[in-house]
Amino acid sequence: MQNDDPADHYPLYPLGMLRRHGLADAQDLAERLPSWSESELREAFWPAYRAIRVTETELERCGGIDGGERVLQLNGQPIFVSEDIWNFQVRAGAELMAALVAALERQRAASPDIATP
């Protein structure tokens, strides 16, 4: 069945994904770590994600040739990841975001390769 909600169609489809998974008002990783550049977040995110991952399920994906968006269920909680050549964005609820931020900060403290401001 065709959905006529504009949030489910390009270029607004990420809004539909966020709404469907209860992430419309979720925290943004870049806002939680304002001293980190987008390239630092992009490089460090997946290792930090794997460090806290106990369980994972892909709930929804919308991709293109240069990247895309997906919603995963990480440790029972939804997380939105938008990754393409132009931007990198992560949104999650407060509890999951706190765990991600802590993992990223531990990773930065332990690795001389990750720049500090």
Side-chain angles (χ1 to χ4, degrees), residues 1-77:
M1 175 190 256
Q2 177 79 18
N3 185 345
D4 291 329
D5 185 338
D8 289 325
H9 299 282
Y10 181 83
L12 300 176
Y13 58 85
L15 299 176
M17 292 174 82
L18 291 167
R19 186 190 68 241
R20 280 189 294 281
H21 299 285
L23 295 170
D25 295 321
Q27 296 180 4
D28 185 285
L29 183 61
E31 292 174 3
R32 288 288 306 269
L33 295 170
S35 66
W36 290 53
S37 70
E38 183 176 302
S39 62
E40 289 171 322
L41 287 173
R42 186 184 295 260
E43 180 181 330
F45 173 74
W46 290 110
Y49 176 99
R50 287 188 295 274
I52 66 168
R53 179 182 62 205
V54 176
T55 62
E56 173 188 77
T57 304
E58 185 171 282
L59 300 176
E60 186 172 352
R61 175 186 292 255
C62 187
I65 61 171
D66 55 3
E69 289 76 27
R70 59 183 151 170
V71 177
L72 303 160
Q73 189 171 45
L74 176 63
N75 305 338
Q77 299 173 60

Side-chain angles (χ1 to χ4, degrees), residues 13 38 42 66-69 82-89:
Y13 58 85
E38 183 176 302
R42 186 184 295 260
D66 55 3
E69 289 76 27
S82 177
E83 187 171 27
D84 60 33
I85 62 173
W86 296 284
N87 79 29
F88 180 76
Q89 182 183 31

